[in-house]
């Protein structure tokens, strides 16, 4: 039971992993030091499956609506928010105007911050995105991020896009990805709705919002993403901090395994999800009687939401090997849908809910009789199974009322039967004080009943709990744990290495029902061979699974970014990392464009950034690169520098005007006094392709130039063009 208790603790804390707790949105005047709550005028989230992660593109439009700023004021937007520790933030975009979008550079944090502060003083157009350590007590679970945008007119708006990869939460039938509703809640004026788009990839199922049956997706055609499934969620669905939202979609897992890879030559990255029970071919079954007791004054959940979530949970987490029944408190009696167990396959689930009717949950509470009916059902059916009470009532909180009922329940309960409670009470509840402890609602009754029967208990009043997560945690608890669990993947002609595994605690114990995910590197070819081992109910289990290449999904470059995010997180959480580790983090972060605590994304105005993008004709969707046309001859020369401003070196990209040859060109760098400090050879330049020249900040004598403004001057028979460069030491 010690291991099971550990798994229970891990599963109970799991919702905190999924939902951020902190966000703040401010608009401030940098010169006057005045600050107000900001507003999100528009919000859109695009979710795309990427291996065991989901890629999330978050579009936000900010304003200072309703506060004391005028059209003459240039104000700064500051958004603080949290994401799970293993997220990989991989891009930033800033809208300069309706036609121009600036793509963020990634620089070391000190350089980026200094540039941003200098630009704010000069009133130009930057956006800065940084990552810090967690602001919450769950320091190992969350990372704090800050986005700063300047300037925004007091009566204007600014638009950004933040892209990040987040670890998906897997079941054997589906995958859920959290919607960052905490960001939208801090808006001074709530957006009327948020748009959630889902890019359905091959093998993946249709999406739904797990917490609300009424929210539907419909197909749309987007100019940037192609075909999407779209849902518009009104602000009512995220107005309460106790309301969590998850996008759930059917997964492509087969026989307990999902494997995806990204291969380049002989090397690559892989993503793996393993369902312990199914992968080890363990024979187990669940037998659960769900008991429903409802008081509409005591909960924010609607009856239809409760019924929908129970059915969805059964379809996603139960199989034909499992059994269930439904029993409801009615106005004048207790309704048991069946006298025998229903098989938990899709047919059995449909049959049970059809027999229950469209409205089996009524506004009536009678817990003692409801629990008695559940016990009677078990006695008539081999006295085995689990009772799970789903209730929002508030009448048994007084110990003088609760104790006699608990005694009577225990007297009639078959030996070994657990009673679990999912408490939906979250408003209009009474409080009690016994033995130096406060109890709320039926807490006293539930706590003692579940302790004495070794059951599970969770309540909706906890900020991290939702009905779907409590149902999932209950199922994990009743199924038990696989101890000493591990996964060993390799290739038929090669090996796997640098693995990062999620869902396994320090004692190598996992919930038997919850898939474990892993990302890693590989080298070699052929089929993947996966050895899975573990101990379930005291018996050692092992299995070798061969995944042929035809069953391996393909992932794009996001596979490496997801691994990089995990790698950076592992280095960042080293206690007091030395300079060598910090340098390693910066190097990997810059190379892979994945944000770290020591780097930052910086989006500048077009003349200062490597790429400027324009929305495609037909709509303001995601950016489309003009660099696709960069290798086409043009009358105008192409001049770009990245990074700019820079510290150590910058890359200057050049394409000659049409008809001009390299022999006709002169390339020089001038200082602010008009003096030539460096001359470059134009050899190899062409009007058909881009050529890169690196300037390391040194003059013609090999000495490093001083900090300041310099000009790269391009001279040809068709005129003179210049590019301003800033050296910051």
């Amino acid at each position: 039971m010690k291991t099971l208790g550990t798994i229970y603790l891990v599963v109970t804390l799991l919702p905190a992993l999924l939902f951020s707790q902190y966000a703040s949105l401010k608009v401030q005047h940098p010169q006057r030091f005045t600050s107000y709550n900001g507003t999100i005028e528009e919000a859109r989230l695009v979710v795309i499956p990427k291996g065991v992660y989901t890629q999330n593109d978050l579009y936000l439009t900010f304003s200072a609506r309703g506060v004391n700023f005028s059209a003459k004021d240039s104000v700064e937007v500051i958004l603080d928010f949290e994401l799970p520790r293993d997220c990989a933030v991989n891009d930033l975009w800033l809208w300069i105007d309706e036609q121009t979008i600036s793509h963020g550079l990634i620089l070391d944090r000190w350089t980026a911050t200094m540039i941003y502060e200098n630009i704010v003083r000069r009133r130009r157009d930057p956006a800065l995105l940084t990552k810090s350590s967690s602001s919450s007590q769950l320091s190992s679970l969350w990372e704090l991020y800050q986005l700063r945008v300047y300037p925004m007119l007091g009566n204007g708006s600014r638009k950004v896009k933040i892209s990040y990869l987040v670890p998906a939460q897997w079941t054997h039938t589906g995958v859920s990805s959290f919607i960052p509703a905490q960001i939208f809640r801090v808006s001074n004026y709530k957006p009327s709705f948020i748009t959630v788009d889902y890019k359905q990839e091959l093998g993946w199922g249709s999406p739904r919002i797990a917490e609300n049956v009424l929210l539907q997706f419909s197909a749309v055609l987007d100019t940037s993403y192609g075909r999407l499934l779209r849902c518009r969620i009104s602000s009512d669905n995220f107005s309460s901090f106790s309301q969590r939202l998850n996008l759930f979609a059917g997964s492509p897992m087969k026989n307990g395994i999902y494997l995806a890879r990204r291969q380049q030559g002989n090397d690559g990255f892989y993503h793996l999800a393993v369902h312990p029970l199914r992968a080890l071919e363990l024979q187990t079954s669940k037998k659960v009687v769900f008991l429903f007791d409802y008081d509409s004054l005591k909960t924010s959940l609607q009856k239809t939401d409760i019924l929908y979530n129970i059915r969805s949970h059964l379809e996603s987490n139960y199989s034909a090997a499992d059994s269930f029944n439904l029993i409801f408190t009615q106005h004048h009696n207790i309704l048991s849908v069946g006298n025998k167990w229903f098989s938990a396959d899709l047919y059995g689930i449909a049959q049970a809910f059809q027999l229950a009717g469209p409205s089996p949950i009524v506004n009536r509470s009678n817990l003692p009789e409801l629990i008695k009916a559940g016990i009677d059902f078990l006695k008539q059916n081999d006295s085995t199974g689990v009772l799970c009470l789903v209730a929002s009532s508030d009448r048994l909180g007084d110990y003088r009322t609760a104790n006699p009922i608990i005694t009577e329940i225990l007297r009639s309960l078959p030996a070994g039967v657990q009673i679990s409670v999912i408490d939906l009470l979250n408003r209009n509840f009474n409080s009690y004080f016994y033995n130096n402890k406060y109890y709320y609602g039926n807490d006293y009754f539930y706590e003692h009943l579940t302790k004495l029967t070794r059951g599970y208990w969770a309540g909706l009043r906890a900020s991290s709990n939702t009905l779907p997560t409590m149902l999932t945690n209950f199922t994990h608890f009743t199924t038990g744990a696989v101890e000493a669990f591990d996964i060993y993947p390799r290739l038929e002609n090669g090996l796997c290495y640098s693995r990062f595994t999620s869902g396994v605690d320090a004692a190598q114990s996992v919930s038997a029902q919850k898939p474990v995910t892993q990302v890693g590197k590989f080298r070699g070819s052929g089929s993947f061979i996966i050895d899975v081992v573990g101990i379930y109910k005291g018996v050692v289990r092992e299995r070798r699974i061969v995944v042929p290449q035809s069953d391996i999904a393909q992932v794009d470059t996001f596979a490496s970014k997801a691994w990089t995010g995990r790698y950076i997180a592992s280095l960042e959480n080293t206690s007091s990392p030395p300079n060598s580790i910090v340098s390693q983090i910066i190097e990997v972060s810059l190379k892979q464009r994945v944000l770290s605590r020591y780097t930052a994304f910086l989006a500048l105005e077009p003349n200062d950034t490597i790429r400027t993008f324009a929305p495609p004709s037909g709509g303001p969707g995601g950016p489309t690169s003009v660099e696709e046309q960069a290798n086409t001859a043009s009358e105008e020369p192409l001049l770009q520098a990245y990074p700019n401003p820079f510290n150590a070196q910058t890359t200057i990209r050049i394409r000659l005007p049409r008809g001009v040859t390299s022999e006709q060109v002169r390339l020089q760098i001038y200082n602010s006094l008009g003096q030539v400090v460096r001359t470059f050879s134009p050899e190899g330049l062409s009007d058909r392709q881009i050529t890169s020249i690196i300037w390391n900040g040194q003059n013609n004598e090999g000495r490093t130039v001083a900090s300041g403004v310099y000009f790269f001057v391009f001279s040809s028979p068709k005129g003179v063009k210049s590019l301003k460069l800033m050296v910051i030491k």
Side-chain angles (χ1 to χ4, degrees):
M1 292 301 296
K2 182 178 180 181
T3 301
L4 182 59
T6 303
I7 291 301
Y8 170 64
L9 179 62
V10 171
V11 169
T12 302
L13 289 175
L14 180 63
L17 279 166
L18 305 181
F19 303 109
S20 172
Q21 302 298 310
Y22 174 78
S24 171
L25 176 60
K26 300 292 183 183
V27 288
Q28 67 178 24
H29 198 296
Q31 285 75 41
R32 298 179 191 167
F33 303 103
T34 53
S35 176
Y36 302 93
N37 290 332
T39 290
I40 297 175
E41 297 290 348
E42 296 179 343
R44 179 192 183 197
L45 179 68
V46 183
V47 181
I48 309 172
K50 297 291 181 183
V52 298
Y53 281 63
T54 60
Q55 169 70 13
N56 295 257
D57 291 341
L58 178 61
Y59 297 80
L60 299 171
T61 301
F62 303 108
S63 81
R65 176 157 58 105
V67 300
N68 191 29
F69 289 129
S70 70
K72 297 180 180 179
D73 291 319
S74 294
V75 300
E76 182 180 29
V77 178
I78 302 177
L79 173 67
D80 293 298
F81 60 100
E82 283 184 321
L83 293 174
R85 188 193 68 180
D86 293 333
C87 276
V89 177
N90 54 69
D91 228 333
L92 173 68
W93 306 81
L94 172 67
W95 269 248
I96 304 301
D97 52 43
E98 289 297 325
Q99 301 300 321
T100 309
I101 306 171
S102 177
H103 190 192
L105 313 175
I106 187 164
L107 306 169
D108 69 84
R109 182 165 179 167
W110 302 274
T111 300
T113 301
M114 183 166 54
I115 294 170
Y116 180 87
E117 295 294 348
N118 287 332
I119 289 175
V120 168
R121 287 195 291 269
R122 289 186 286 122
R123 299 195 176 191
R124 293 167 72 185
D125 290 347
L128 181 72
L129 179 60
T130 56
K131 170 186 178 183
S132 303
S133 59
S134 174
S135 65
S136 67
Q137 293 181 347
L138 298 174
S139 59
S140 63
L141 307 179
W142 290 99
E143 293 283 354
L144 177 64
Y145 294 83
Q146 184 179 81
L147 173 69
R148 299 167 65 185
V149 181
Y150 181 90
M152 180 177 73
L153 297 180
N155 65 342
S157 64
R158 294 306 300 265
K159 182 177 179 179
V160 299
K161 184 183 85 167
I162 303 171
S163 296
Y164 59 92
L165 285 157
V166 65
Q169 302 301 313
W170 285 65
T171 71
H172 74 283
T173 60
V175 176
S176 64
S177 181
F178 85 99
I179 298 171
Q182 81 285 353
I183 294 177
F184 315 128
R185 293 191 185 104
V186 298
S187 177
N188 188 28
Y189 293 92
K190 301 295 185 296
S192 56
F193 60 86
I194 61 172
T195 300
V196 176
D197 290 333
Y198 180 71
K199 178 73 172 178
Q200 188 173 7
E201 302 288 357
L202 182 65
W204 294 77
S206 299
R208 66 173 185 264
I209 302 300
E211 292 77 11
N212 194 324
V213 64
L214 300 178
L215 297 174
Q216 300 292 321
F217 284 79
S218 57
V220 298
L221 188 61
D222 185 86
T223 54
S224 299
Y225 295 93
R227 184 181 184 275
L228 294 172
L229 296 174
R230 174 166 295 175
C231 178
R232 287 189 167 175
I233 306 175
S234 72
S235 59
D236 295 338
N237 289 276
F238 52 87
S239 58
S240 169
F241 276 90
S242 64
Q243 179 63 43
R244 311 296 181 180
L245 297 176
N246 289 274
L247 188 152
F248 183 90
S251 81
M253 181 175 282
K254 296 179 181 179
N255 300 317
I257 295 288
Y258 169 78
L259 181 63
R261 70 178 175 186
R262 164 76 172 177
Q263 186 161 1
Q264 292 179 301
N266 203 41
D267 297 283
F269 296 84
Y270 72 90
H271 286 204
L272 176 64
V274 176
H275 190 284
L277 279 180
R278 299 179 67 190
L280 289 172
E281 296 184 321
L282 299 175
Q283 300 300 317
T284 185
S285 61
K286 299 181 287 292
K287 300 175 74 174
V288 181
V289 181
F290 291 97
L291 310 174
F292 299 88
D293 196 81
Y294 184 77
D295 185 340
S296 62
L297 298 178
K298 305 294 183 178
T299 183
S300 60
L301 292 183
Q302 300 297 315
K303 293 178 285 186
T304 52
D305 293 334
I306 297 171
L307 209 61
Y308 166 76
N309 276 283
I310 293 291
R311 179 166 184 170
S312 174
H313 179 74
L314 286 168
E315 293 173 346
S316 300
N317 294 277
Y318 286 60
S319 67
D322 303 317
S323 305
F324 75 100
N325 193 21
L326 310 171
I327 302 179
F328 303 87
T329 297
Q330 299 280 282
H331 288 297
H332 303 293
N333 64 335
I334 303 296
L335 169 65
S336 180
V337 173
N339 296 322
K340 300 292 183 181
W341 292 104
F342 290 93
S343 172
D345 57 13
L346 292 178
Y347 174 79
I349 295 171
Q351 182 185 32
F353 279 85
Q354 183 177 9
L355 291 173
S359 304
I361 299 178
V362 300
N363 191 25
R364 169 77 173 172
S365 177
N366 190 351
L367 277 180
E369 288 300 317
L370 179 65
I371 295 173
K372 179 180 181 299
I375 294 173
D376 290 342
F377 174 83
L378 292 181
K379 288 180 176 179
Q380 296 167 11
N381 292 274
D382 302 324
S383 296
T384 59
V386 175
L387 298 178
C388 181
L389 176 63
V390 182
S392 65
S393 47
D394 181 26
R395 299 184 180 182
L396 302 180
D398 191 304
Y399 75 95
R400 292 165 295 188
T401 303
N403 283 341
I405 297 175
I406 293 173
T407 300
E408 181 60 31
I409 289 172
L410 295 177
R411 184 181 295 119
S412 60
L413 190 69
V417 171
Q418 295 177 340
I419 300 180
S420 292
V421 175
I422 295 177
D423 184 11
L424 305 182
L425 181 80
N426 65 353
R427 64 184 184 186
N428 302 324
F429 47 83
N430 296 315
S431 62
Y432 308 89
F433 188 76
Y434 307 131
N435 298 323
N436 296 317
K437 180 179 179 179
Y438 278 102
Y439 295 91
Y440 302 94
N442 286 343
D443 282 2
Y444 179 90
F445 176 71
Y446 295 152
E447 178 182 301
H448 289 79
L449 184 63
T450 54
K451 277 185 178 179
L452 292 169
T453 64
R454 298 178 180 270
Y456 166 86
W457 171 41
L460 195 61
R461 293 192 307 280
S463 62
S464 59
N465 282 343
T466 68
L467 179 52
T469 57
M470 289 189 291
L471 288 169
T472 299
N473 293 345
F474 159 72
T475 297
H476 293 168
F477 177 81
T478 56
T479 306
V482 177
E483 303 173 37
F485 184 79
D486 210 345
I487 310 167
Y488 301 95
R490 63 182 176 87
L491 270 74
E492 185 178 11
N493 302 301
L495 64 122
C496 297
Y497 61 101
S498 296
R499 302 176 298 159
F500 294 101
T501 306
S502 300
V504 182
D505 68 7
Q508 290 297 107
S509 296
V510 302
S511 168
Q513 188 71 15
K514 178 175 174 56
V516 173
T517 61
Q518 186 179 96
V519 295
K521 293 183 175 182
F522 70 84
R523 172 169 292 177
S525 61
S527 301
F528 268 76
I529 300 171
I530 303 169
D531 291 320
V532 185
V533 298
I535 302 173
Y536 188 64
K537 297 183 177 179
V539 179
V540 177
R541 309 280 185 173
E542 60 179 326
R543 185 183 174 206
R544 174 164 292 178
I545 304 169
V546 178
V547 183
Q549 296 191 49
S550 58
D551 287 345
I552 302 175
Q554 301 300 314
V555 186
D556 55 23
T557 55
F558 288 104
S560 60
K561 290 182 180 293
W563 181 90
T564 301
R566 293 297 303 271
Y567 179 66
I568 288 174
S570 68
L571 294 177
E572 287 176 337
N573 285 279
T574 303
S575 179
S576 301
N579 288 338
S580 59
I581 297 295
V582 173
S583 298
Q584 188 177 357
I585 293 172
I586 293 173
E587 181 181 355
V588 174
S589 174
L590 297 180
K591 182 178 180 180
Q592 294 291 335
R593 283 184 62 85
V594 173
L595 190 63
S596 74
R597 296 178 189 174
Y598 308 103
T599 55
F601 277 109
L602 181 68
L604 302 173
E605 66 180 24
N607 289 336
D608 288 334
T609 189
I610 185 170
R611 293 176 185 166
T612 301
F613 293 82
S617 58
T624 298
S625 174
V626 300
E627 202 165 359
E628 296 172 358
Q629 301 155 359
N631 291 333
T632 302
S634 171
E635 293 295 337
E636 293 294 324
L638 174 70
L639 291 181
Q640 295 175 332
Y642 168 75
N644 185 27
F646 69 96
N647 178 278
Q649 66 179 34
T650 186
T651 299
I652 303 168
R653 298 158 38 114
I654 306 170
R655 185 198 59 214
L656 302 182
R658 181 184 289 118
V660 174
T661 64
S662 61
E663 293 80 7
Q664 299 173 293
V665 173
R666 185 172 59 192
L667 307 175
Q668 294 175 309
I669 292 180
Y670 291 78
N671 62 19
S672 59
L673 299 177
Q675 300 167 327
V676 176
V677 297
R678 183 69 180 266
T679 301
F680 294 95
S681 169
E683 184 179 355
L685 297 183
S686 167
D687 65 350
R688 302 296 300 182
Q689 65 181 15
I690 297 174
T691 303
S692 296
I693 295 175
I694 295 177
W695 183 38
N696 58 6
Q698 295 180 355
N699 60 21
N700 287 327
E701 287 73 40
R703 292 192 294 269
T704 301
V705 301
S707 298
V709 175
Y710 295 82
F711 298 89
F712 180 84
V713 178
F714 174 96
S715 303
S716 77
K718 293 195 175 183
V720 177
K721 296 289 184 180
S722 66
L723 178 66
K724 184 167 62 176
L725 306 174
M726 180 178 289
V727 179
I728 300 177
K729 298 295 184 182

